[in-house]
Amino acid sequence: MLTSSFARFLLVGLFNTLVGLSASFAFFNLLHLNYWISTFAGNTLGAIVSYTLNRTFTFRSNVSVGSSWWKFAVVILSCYGLSYGLSWALAEAARSVMPSMQADWLHNAAILVGNGLYTIGNYLGHKYFTFRTHGTENPRAS
């Protein structure tokens, strides 16, 4: 039924997003941790789920853990910095244009926007870098 790697990625993404995004919001809103600690901790939890499920289910990769975990970490950290950094900057820009807007609302919106950018970047990075097999795409993962 799920023949495309992108469809499988989205299914896995729904699950790891439930884990990571729920954790990010809980850290930010319930524990009152700052934006960066909340999103990093939440995304770390989601990344653990993501690595396991994407390696085995999404990309059906036979690439060794030893050669893929560090690539996974590079993609995750790069996407995290770019996605959440950009969404933070957009929230701060919006705050300067709309000073009456509550900062927490803007930062919650930034978490959502960052998560969308993070998802797209992760799919591309993992498909073409982390779980790619010796210069060719894994035919089992198409």
Coordinates of all heavy atoms in Angstrom, one line a residue, residues 71-85 118 121-122 129:
K71 N 25.7 10.7 9.4 CA 25.0 11.4 8.4 C 23.6 11.9 8.8 O 23.2 13.0 8.5 CB 24.9 10.6 7.1 CG 26.2 10.2 6.4 CD 26.0 9.3 5.3 CE 27.3 8.9 4.6 NZ 27.0 8.0 3.5
F72 N 22.9 11.0 9.5 CA 21.6 11.3 10.0 C 21.8 12.6 11.0 O 21.0 13.5 10.9 CB 21.1 10.1 10.8 CG 19.6 10.3 11.2 CD1 18.6 10.0 10.4 CD2 19.3 10.8 12.5 CE1 17.3 10.2 10.8 CE2 18.0 11.0 12.9 CZ 17.0 10.7 12.0
A73 N 22.8 12.5 11.9 CA 23.0 13.6 12.8 C 23.3 14.9 12.1 O 22.8 16.0 12.4 CB 24.1 13.3 13.8
V74 N 24.1 14.9 11.0 CA 24.5 16.1 10.2 C 23.2 16.7 9.6 O 23.0 17.9 9.7 CB 25.5 15.8 9.1 CG1 25.6 16.9 8.1 CG2 26.9 15.5 9.8
V75 N 22.4 15.8 9.0 CA 21.1 16.3 8.4 C 20.2 16.9 9.4 O 19.7 18.0 9.2 CB 20.4 15.1 7.6 CG1 19.1 15.6 7.1 CG2 21.3 14.8 6.4
I76 N 20.0 16.1 10.5 CA 19.1 16.6 11.6 C 19.6 18.0 12.1 O 18.8 18.9 12.2 CB 19.0 15.6 12.7 CG1 18.3 14.3 12.2 CG2 18.4 16.1 14.0 CD1 16.8 14.5 12.1
L77 N 20.8 18.1 12.5 CA 21.3 19.3 13.1 C 21.3 20.5 12.1 O 21.0 21.6 12.4 CB 22.7 19.1 13.6 CG 22.8 18.2 14.9 CD1 24.3 17.9 15.2 CD2 22.1 18.8 16.0
S78 N 21.7 20.2 10.8 CA 21.6 21.3 9.8 C 20.2 21.7 9.6 O 19.9 22.9 9.5 CB 22.2 20.7 8.5 OG 23.5 20.4 8.6
C79 N 19.3 20.8 9.4 CA 17.9 21.1 9.2 C 17.3 21.9 10.5 O 16.5 22.8 10.3 CB 17.0 19.9 8.9 SG 17.3 19.2 7.3
Y80 N 17.7 21.4 11.6 CA 17.2 22.1 12.9 C 17.7 23.5 12.9 O 16.9 24.4 13.1 CB 17.8 21.3 14.1 CG 17.5 22.1 15.4 CD1 16.2 22.1 15.9 CD2 18.5 22.9 16.0 CE1 15.9 22.8 17.1 CE2 18.2 23.6 17.1 CZ 16.9 23.6 17.7 OH 16.7 24.3 18.8
G81 N 19.0 23.8 12.7 CA 19.5 25.1 12.7 C 18.9 26.0 11.7 O 18.4 27.2 12.0
L82 N 18.8 25.5 10.5 CA 18.2 26.4 9.4 C 16.7 26.6 9.6 O 16.3 27.7 9.5 CB 18.5 25.7 8.0 CG 20.0 25.7 7.6 CD1 20.1 24.8 6.4 CD2 20.5 27.1 7.3
S83 N 16.0 25.5 9.9 CA 14.5 25.6 9.9 C 14.1 26.5 11.1 O 13.3 27.4 11.0 CB 13.9 24.2 10.1 OG 14.3 23.5 8.9
Y84 N 14.6 26.1 12.3 CA 14.1 26.8 13.5 C 14.8 28.2 13.6 O 14.2 29.1 14.2 CB 14.3 26.0 14.7 CG 13.3 24.9 14.8 CD1 13.6 23.6 14.3 CD2 12.0 25.1 15.3 CE1 12.7 22.6 14.3 CE2 11.1 24.1 15.3 CZ 11.4 22.8 14.8 OH 10.5 21.8 14.8
G85 N 16.0 28.4 13.1 CA 16.6 29.7 13.0 C 15.8 30.7 12.1 O 15.5 31.8 12.5
Y118 N 11.6 21.9 8.6 CA 12.5 20.8 9.1 C 12.1 19.5 8.5 O 12.9 18.7 8.0 CB 12.3 20.7 10.6 CG 13.0 19.7 11.4 CD1 14.3 19.9 11.7 CD2 12.3 18.6 11.9 CE1 15.0 18.9 12.5 CE2 13.0 17.6 12.7 CZ 14.3 17.8 13.0 OH 15.0 16.9 13.7
G121 N 13.2 19.5 4.7 CA 14.7 19.4 4.6 C 15.2 18.0 5.0 O 16.1 17.5 4.4
N122 N 14.6 17.4 6.0 CA 15.0 16.1 6.5 C 14.7 15.0 5.4 O 15.5 14.1 5.2 CB 14.2 15.7 7.8 CG 15.0 16.1 9.0 OD1 16.1 15.6 9.3 ND2 14.5 17.1 9.7
F129 N 21.2 11.6 1.0 CA 22.5 11.6 1.7 C 22.6 10.5 2.7 O 23.5 9.6 2.6 CB 22.8 13.0 2.4 CG 24.1 13.1 3.1 CD1 25.3 13.0 2.4 CD2 24.1 13.3 4.5 CE1 26.5 13.1 3.1 CE2 25.3 13.5 5.1 CZ 26.5 13.3 4.5

